[in-house]
Amino acid sequence: MQVGALIIGDELLSGKRQDKHMQALIRILAARGMKLAWAEYLGDDPARIESALRRAFAGGDLVFSFGGIGATPDDHTRGCAARALGVPLALHPEAKALLEARFGDEAYPHRIHMGHFPQGAAIIPNPVNQIPGFSCGHVHFVPGFPSMAWPMIEWVLDTHYRQLFNDQPDIEKTCIAIAAKEGDLIGLMQEFTTRYPSLKLSSLPNFGNETIPEMHIEFGFSGQPALLEIAMAEWRKALSERGYELRQKVSGVDR
């Protein structure tokens, strides 16, 4: 099961706010030996949100949806989720109790709408202000506020997905080949991807920078540590035999 993210809000696409959710989700997943496979940014366009959610519900991925579950007119996510599932919105009894406890009489007539979820949804507790998010299968909906969204995601993972945690997560190792050109090494890259199908090979060409003024390529392998060590040793040997000067990247610095 892969993990994906839907990050919703016109303010992100207009530049009024900078997204913080994707980096936080990557960090939260990495702490559990998991990784993010994909992310999609969406504005407050109901048709696009509904379409994206139809794909999410139809797929087999674990998906986190950020934003658009409030009570204002530009919060479309709850309704879009219901339409994508073909079910009505319904007031969740636990959400109703939480909202009434939080707001009292002021829960009506508007705030109570934050407890209307697609029929059959389960709630996600909100430790900050008790206004819950909700889950529909493997698609989980949290607010756009980071202080609320991130602990809610951690609760979902720790409560429902411990079987996906990995005590031996993939790692990445890199090496830098000076004066290398991708076109000259495509055959070698194809050979290694065939030899090591469970590893991911990356190639990042650079025309020179302050640290390394020469043209170079940063090659990386990611995967399980034992196999990765073997592949990287063979890769470095193959590059050296072709006459390339190799350098290491340590703590984000090329040397």
Side-chain angles (χ1 to χ4, degrees):
M1 177 181 286
Q2 293 187 320
V3 183
L6 299 173
I7 304 172
I8 299 168
D10 282 345
E11 67 277 8
L12 300 174
L13 300 182
S14 68
K16 291 181 180 178
R17 288 186 179 176
Q18 297 297 311
D19 171 53
K20 299 178 181 179
H21 291 306
M22 187 164 70
Q23 285 301 319
L25 181 57
I26 290 170
R27 172 182 54 78
I28 290 168
L29 292 170
R32 292 157 177 80
M34 302 168 69
K35 59 184 178 180
L36 183 66
W38 57 268
E40 183 175 351
Y41 288 93
L42 299 165
D44 296 314
D45 180 339
R48 287 186 179 275
I49 296 171
E50 183 178 338
S51 177
L53 289 174
R54 285 184 187 278
R55 295 194 302 273
F57 290 132
D61 292 346
L62 162 57
V63 179
F64 292 101
S65 175
F66 297 85
I69 63 171
T72 58
D74 61 343
D75 288 319
H76 303 293
T77 304
R78 289 178 293 106
C80 291
R83 290 193 295 274
L85 288 168
V87 300
L89 283 173
L91 181 59
H92 194 287
E94 290 181 64
K96 177 177 181 290
L98 287 166
L99 290 165
E100 289 178 342
R102 175 76 170 80
F103 297 109
D105 292 341
E106 293 183 359
Y108 298 89
H110 301 299
R111 290 188 174 98
I112 197 66
H113 291 299
M114 292 187 288
H116 285 79
F117 305 143
Q119 192 172 63
I123 67 167
I124 301 173
N126 182 337
V128 176
N129 66 2
Q130 288 69 59
I131 301 174
F134 64 97
S135 300
C136 298
H138 289 305
V139 184
H140 307 278
F141 298 83
V142 296
F145 298 103
S147 63
M148 302 177 192
W150 302 348
M152 293 169 77
I153 288 170
E154 291 180 316
W155 180 88
V156 168
L157 291 169
D158 294 343
T159 303
H160 298 296
Y161 295 99
R162 286 187 177 273
Q163 73 276 13
L164 300 181
F165 293 4
N166 187 354
D167 292 334
Q168 292 186 320
D170 290 350
I171 64 170
E172 182 179 21
K173 285 188 174 292
T174 64
C175 74
I176 294 166
I178 303 299
K181 299 178 181 179
E182 283 187 312
D184 296 335
L185 292 167
I186 289 175
L188 183 63
M189 288 190 277
Q190 291 174 333
E191 177 186 335
F192 269 72
T193 54
T194 299
R195 189 185 306 174
Y196 295 102
S198 63
L199 300 180
K200 183 177 289 186
L201 170 65
S202 63
S203 172
L204 298 175
N206 192 305
F207 289 100
N209 52 42
E210 293 181 1
T211 307
I212 301 179
E214 305 98 325
M215 177 184 293
H216 60 275
I217 299 177
E218 179 184 328
F219 293 103
F221 283 95
S222 60
Q224 286 295 292
L227 187 61
L228 185 145
E229 293 287 353
I230 296 169
M232 180 55 76
E234 292 184 1
W235 179 255
R236 292 177 63 86
K237 182 174 183 289
L239 292 178
S240 295
E241 289 174 347
R242 285 163 172 76
Y244 293 107
E245 177 190 349
L246 303 182
R247 300 186 191 176
Q248 282 293 114
K249 184 173 183 177
V250 180
S251 300
V253 177
D254 302 330
R255 70 177 189 183

